[in-house]
Amino acid sequence: MSGGWAQVYDALAPTYDEMTTGNGWSANRRARGLLAPLGLVPARVLDLGAGTGQTAVMLHELFPAAALTLVDPSPGMLERARAMMSDAGVSGAEVVAADAASFLRADDRQWDLVAAIGFLELVPDLFEVLGLAATRLAPGGHLVVSHEPLLDDGSVQAAPVSVVSGDQRVRRHPREDVERGAASYGLERVASDDGVAFERSEGGGPAVNELVVWRAAVDR
Ligand SMILES: C[S@@+](CC[C@H](N)C(=O)[O-])C[C@H]1O[C@@H](n2cnc3c(N)ncnc32)[C@H](O)[C@@H]1O
Protein backbone atom coordinates (compact mmCIF):
# COMPACT_ATOMS: atom_id res chain seq x y z
CA MET A 1 0.00 0.00 0.00
CA SER A 2 1.32 3.46 -0.82
CA GLY A 3 -0.90 5.18 1.75
CA GLY A 4 -2.52 7.46 -0.82
CA TRP A 5 0.80 8.99 -1.87
CA ALA A 6 0.50 7.67 -5.43
CA GLN A 7 -2.31 10.13 -6.20
CA VAL A 8 -0.34 13.00 -4.63
CA TYR A 9 2.66 12.20 -6.81
CA ASP A 10 0.50 11.67 -9.91
CA ALA A 11 -0.62 15.26 -9.46
CA LEU A 12 2.94 16.46 -8.75
CA ALA A 13 4.54 14.57 -11.63
CA PRO A 14 4.42 17.32 -14.30
CA THR A 15 6.21 19.80 -12.00
CA TYR A 16 8.27 17.46 -9.77
CA ASP A 17 11.63 18.00 -11.50
CA GLU A 18 11.17 21.77 -11.54
CA MET A 19 10.07 21.69 -7.89
CA THR A 20 13.11 19.71 -6.79
CA THR A 21 15.42 22.07 -8.64
CA GLY A 22 13.80 24.94 -6.76
CA ASN A 23 13.81 23.36 -3.30
CA GLY A 24 17.39 22.09 -3.47
CA TRP A 25 16.59 18.33 -3.34
CA SER A 26 20.00 16.92 -2.46
CA ALA A 27 19.44 13.23 -1.71
CA ASN A 28 20.59 11.87 -5.06
CA ARG A 29 23.73 14.01 -5.16
CA ARG A 30 24.55 12.91 -1.63
CA ALA A 31 23.81 9.24 -2.39
CA ARG A 32 26.20 9.48 -5.33
CA GLY A 33 28.84 10.94 -3.01
CA LEU A 34 28.48 7.96 -0.66
CA LEU A 35 28.37 5.29 -3.38
CA ALA A 36 31.13 6.52 -5.70
CA PRO A 37 34.13 5.79 -3.41
CA LEU A 38 32.92 2.25 -2.64
CA GLY A 39 34.03 0.93 -6.03
CA LEU A 40 30.92 -1.19 -6.53
CA VAL A 41 30.21 -2.97 -9.82
CA PRO A 42 26.57 -4.02 -9.43
CA ALA A 43 24.98 -6.07 -12.22
CA ARG A 44 21.38 -5.75 -10.99
CA VAL A 45 20.13 -2.50 -9.45
CA LEU A 46 16.66 -1.94 -7.98
CA ASP A 47 15.42 1.65 -7.56
CA LEU A 48 12.44 1.75 -5.17
CA GLY A 49 10.37 4.96 -5.07
CA ALA A 50 11.94 5.81 -8.42
CA GLY A 51 9.73 8.83 -9.09
CA THR A 52 10.59 10.68 -12.31
CA GLY A 53 13.93 8.86 -12.63
CA GLN A 54 16.34 11.25 -10.90
CA THR A 55 17.75 8.45 -8.73
CA ALA A 56 17.92 6.02 -11.65
CA VAL A 57 19.87 8.49 -13.81
CA MET A 58 22.37 8.97 -10.98
CA LEU A 59 22.67 5.16 -10.62
CA HIS A 60 23.11 4.72 -14.38
CA GLU A 61 25.84 7.36 -14.47
CA LEU A 62 27.69 5.60 -11.64
CA PHE A 63 27.03 2.05 -12.89
CA PRO A 64 26.48 2.22 -16.67
CA ALA A 65 26.64 -1.55 -17.16
CA ALA A 66 24.00 -2.34 -14.53
CA ALA A 67 20.50 -3.56 -15.42
CA LEU A 68 18.04 -1.16 -13.80
CA THR A 69 14.57 -1.87 -12.40
CA LEU A 70 12.47 1.14 -11.36
CA VAL A 71 9.51 0.70 -8.97
CA ASP A 72 6.99 3.36 -7.96
CA PRO A 73 3.24 3.32 -7.21
CA SER A 74 2.57 6.53 -9.19
CA PRO A 75 1.91 5.95 -12.91
CA GLY A 76 2.35 9.69 -13.53
CA MET A 77 5.84 9.70 -12.03
CA LEU A 78 6.75 6.54 -13.97
CA GLU A 79 5.63 8.08 -17.25
CA ARG A 80 8.13 10.88 -16.61
CA ALA A 81 10.77 8.33 -15.60
CA ARG A 82 10.43 6.52 -18.93
CA ALA A 83 11.02 9.82 -20.75
CA MET A 84 13.97 10.70 -18.50
CA MET A 85 15.54 7.26 -19.09
CA SER A 86 15.21 7.72 -22.81
CA ASP A 87 16.67 11.26 -22.70
CA ALA A 88 19.60 9.94 -20.62
CA GLY A 89 20.26 7.17 -23.14
CA VAL A 90 19.33 4.40 -20.69
CA SER A 91 17.95 1.49 -22.66
CA GLY A 92 16.27 -1.65 -21.36
CA ALA A 93 15.32 -0.35 -17.91
CA GLU A 94 12.41 -2.28 -16.40
CA VAL A 95 9.64 -0.06 -14.99
CA VAL A 96 7.12 -1.48 -12.50
CA ALA A 97 4.08 0.28 -10.99
CA ALA A 98 3.97 -0.95 -7.38
CA ASP A 99 4.65 0.18 -3.85
CA ALA A 100 7.96 -0.97 -2.41
CA ALA A 101 6.69 -3.48 0.16
CA SER A 102 4.29 -5.21 -2.27
CA PHE A 103 7.01 -5.41 -4.94
CA LEU A 104 9.59 -6.84 -2.55
CA ARG A 105 7.14 -9.41 -1.22
CA ALA A 106 6.05 -10.57 -4.68
CA ASP A 107 9.37 -10.50 -6.56
CA ASP A 108 12.04 -12.87 -5.26
CA ARG A 109 14.95 -11.74 -7.43
CA GLN A 110 18.22 -10.79 -5.76
CA TRP A 111 19.83 -7.40 -6.27
CA ASP A 112 23.42 -6.23 -5.98
CA LEU A 113 22.25 -2.72 -5.09
CA VAL A 114 18.87 -1.50 -3.86
CA ALA A 115 18.11 2.24 -3.62
CA ALA A 116 15.29 3.67 -1.49
CA ILE A 117 15.64 7.44 -1.88
CA GLY A 118 13.01 9.98 -0.91
CA PHE A 119 10.09 7.85 0.24
CA LEU A 120 10.84 5.89 3.44
CA GLU A 121 9.18 8.66 5.49
CA LEU A 122 6.02 8.16 3.40
CA VAL A 123 5.52 4.43 3.96
CA PRO A 124 3.33 3.07 6.76
CA ASP A 125 6.24 0.93 8.04
CA LEU A 126 9.84 1.87 7.21
CA PHE A 127 11.12 -1.22 9.02
CA GLU A 128 9.00 -3.53 6.88
CA VAL A 129 10.56 -2.06 3.71
CA LEU A 130 14.10 -2.22 5.11
CA GLY A 131 13.64 -5.80 6.29
CA LEU A 132 12.18 -6.94 2.97
CA ALA A 133 14.89 -5.13 0.99
CA ALA A 134 17.57 -6.82 3.12
CA THR A 135 16.17 -10.26 2.26
CA ARG A 136 16.42 -9.44 -1.47
CA LEU A 137 20.08 -8.37 -1.41
CA ALA A 138 22.60 -10.70 -3.01
CA PRO A 139 25.42 -11.75 -0.66
CA GLY A 140 27.63 -8.69 -0.21
CA GLY A 141 24.95 -6.50 -1.84
CA HIS A 142 24.33 -2.88 -0.82
CA LEU A 143 21.27 -0.89 0.22
CA VAL A 144 21.33 2.92 -0.06
CA VAL A 145 18.50 4.85 1.58
CA SER A 146 17.41 8.27 2.70
CA HIS A 147 15.04 8.81 5.60
CA GLU A 148 13.79 11.77 7.60
CA PRO A 149 15.01 11.14 11.15
CA LEU A 150 13.09 12.23 14.22
CA LEU A 151 14.85 15.29 15.67
CA ASP A 152 14.78 16.87 19.11
CA ASP A 153 14.83 20.46 17.88
CA GLY A 154 11.24 21.68 18.30
CA SER A 155 10.78 21.81 14.51
CA VAL A 156 8.14 19.99 12.48
CA GLN A 157 10.68 17.14 12.39
CA ALA A 158 10.35 16.65 16.16
CA ALA A 159 6.94 15.01 15.56
CA PRO A 160 6.99 11.26 14.90
CA VAL A 161 4.00 11.64 12.57
CA SER A 162 2.82 14.61 10.51
CA VAL A 163 -0.60 14.42 8.87
CA VAL A 164 -0.25 15.95 5.42
CA SER A 165 -3.83 15.40 4.26
CA GLY A 166 -6.36 12.57 4.14
CA ASP A 167 -4.46 9.35 4.77
CA GLN A 168 -1.07 10.78 3.81
CA ARG A 169 1.35 10.72 6.70
CA VAL A 170 5.06 11.52 7.09
CA ARG A 171 6.58 9.18 9.69
CA ARG A 172 9.93 9.71 11.39
CA HIS A 173 12.12 7.43 13.48
CA PRO A 174 15.23 8.11 15.57
CA ARG A 175 18.43 7.38 13.67
CA GLU A 176 19.43 4.87 16.37
CA ASP A 177 16.21 2.86 15.87
CA VAL A 178 16.76 2.73 12.12
CA GLU A 179 20.33 1.55 12.63
CA ARG A 180 19.23 -1.05 15.18
CA GLY A 181 16.61 -2.33 12.74
CA ALA A 182 19.14 -2.54 9.91
CA ALA A 183 21.61 -4.45 12.10
CA SER A 184 18.85 -6.91 13.05
CA TYR A 185 18.34 -7.59 9.30
CA GLY A 186 22.05 -8.44 8.97
CA LEU A 187 23.11 -5.11 7.46
CA GLU A 188 26.40 -3.38 8.23
CA ARG A 189 26.68 0.40 7.83
CA VAL A 190 29.47 1.34 5.42
CA ALA A 191 28.76 5.04 4.77
CA SER A 192 26.39 7.77 5.90
CA ASP A 193 25.72 11.47 5.63
CA ASP A 194 23.39 13.83 7.47
CA GLY A 195 22.16 17.08 5.95
CA VAL A 196 19.40 19.24 4.55
CA ALA A 197 17.49 17.33 1.88
CA PHE A 198 15.28 20.23 0.77
CA GLU A 199 13.57 23.37 2.00
CA ARG A 200 9.95 22.70 2.97
CA SER A 201 7.37 24.89 1.26
CA GLU A 202 5.54 27.72 2.99
CA GLY A 203 8.34 28.47 5.45
CA GLY A 204 8.32 24.94 6.87
CA GLY A 205 12.10 25.06 7.32
CA PRO A 206 14.83 22.67 6.26
CA ALA A 207 14.03 18.95 5.94
CA VAL A 208 16.97 17.00 7.33
CA ASN A 209 17.62 13.57 5.84
CA GLU A 210 20.04 10.86 6.81
CA LEU A 211 21.59 9.02 3.88
CA VAL A 212 22.95 5.56 4.67
CA VAL A 213 24.65 2.78 2.72
CA TRP A 214 24.50 -0.68 4.31
CA ARG A 215 26.15 -3.90 3.12
CA ALA A 216 24.75 -7.41 3.47
CA ALA A 217 27.09 -10.11 4.72
CA VAL A 218 28.87 -12.15 2.05
CA ASP A 219 28.22 -15.46 3.81
CA ARG A 220 24.50 -15.11 4.50
C1 LIG B 1 10.24 12.45 -3.18
S1 LIG B 1 9.90 11.33 -4.50
C2 LIG B 1 11.50 10.60 -4.74
C3 LIG B 1 11.68 10.13 -6.16
C4 LIG B 1 13.14 9.86 -6.56
N1 LIG B 1 13.72 8.76 -5.82
C5 LIG B 1 13.96 11.12 -6.42
O1 LIG B 1 14.92 11.14 -5.63
O2 LIG B 1 13.65 12.11 -7.10
C6 LIG B 1 9.01 10.05 -3.65
C7 LIG B 1 8.48 8.93 -4.56
O3 LIG B 1 8.09 7.83 -3.72
C8 LIG B 1 6.94 7.25 -4.26
N2 LIG B 1 6.27 6.47 -3.22
C9 LIG B 1 5.30 6.86 -2.36
N3 LIG B 1 4.94 5.84 -1.57
C10 LIG B 1 5.71 4.78 -1.94
C11 LIG B 1 5.80 3.43 -1.52
N4 LIG B 1 5.02 2.95 -0.54
N5 LIG B 1 6.67 2.62 -2.16
C12 LIG B 1 7.46 3.09 -3.15
N6 LIG B 1 7.42 4.36 -3.58
C13 LIG B 1 6.56 5.19 -2.99
C14 LIG B 1 6.14 8.41 -4.81
O4 LIG B 1 5.18 8.01 -5.76
C15 LIG B 1 7.24 9.30 -5.37
O5 LIG B 1 7.46 9.03 -6.72
Side-chain angles (χ1 to χ4, degrees):
M1 294 287 292
S2 63
W5 283 106
Q7 293 96 314
V8 171
Y9 278 95
D10 273 344
L12 268 179
T15 53
Y16 177 83
D17 293 318
E18 196 184 330
M19 180 186 84
T20 52
T21 301
N23 71 15
W25 178 234
S26 69
N28 292 305
R29 177 174 47 74
R30 289 162 55 210
R32 175 199 287 263
L34 294 179
L35 289 169
L38 299 180
L40 309 180
V41 191
R44 294 146 302 174
V45 174
L46 173 63
D47 179 14
L48 299 168
T52 58
Q54 293 187 25
T55 306
V57 167
M58 176 275 289
L59 293 167
H60 173 73
E61 287 171 0
L62 274 182
F63 312 117
L68 274 173
T69 295
L70 284 67
V71 174
D72 197 286
S74 159
M77 294 293 268
L78 289 179
E79 192 183 322
R80 297 263 154 180
R82 284 190 192 87
M84 197 186 281
M85 294 294 99
S86 165
D87 290 349
V90 185
S91 58
E94 180 187 19
V95 177
V96 181
D99 70 85
S102 303
F103 177 83
L104 290 165
R105 255 189 251 106
D107 189 304
D108 65 1
R109 280 177 285 177
Q110 288 200 324
W111 307 91
D112 302 306
L113 175 64
V114 175
I117 301 291
F119 76 96
L120 285 178
E121 45 285 322
L122 310 182
V123 300
D125 187 349
L126 168 150
F127 295 99
E128 178 190 33
V129 176
L130 286 189
L132 285 167
T135 67
R136 300 296 183 225
L137 288 177
H142 290 73
L143 173 60
V144 58
V145 314
S146 71
H147 75 101
E148 196 171 300
L150 188 65
L151 301 180
D152 186 17
D153 64 354
S155 74
V156 62
Q157 217 165 318
V161 182
S162 296
V163 178
V164 177
S165 65
D167 61 351
Q168 286 103 40
R169 306 277 184 278
V170 173
R171 294 184 169 81
R172 308 177 182 94
H173 303 275
R175 295 178 184 84
E176 305 72 33
D177 290 4
V178 173
E179 184 55 26
R180 214 173 294 122
S184 77
Y185 311 135
L187 299 173
E188 180 194 0
R189 179 179 289 230
V190 292
S192 63
D193 166 47
D194 224 61
V196 175
F198 65 97
E199 285 295 328
R200 294 189 178 91
S201 59
E202 293 160 18
V208 172
N209 272 21
E210 183 183 42
L211 272 282
V212 189
V213 182
W214 288 291
R215 181 177 51 219
V218 175
D219 56 349
R220 46 207 316 245

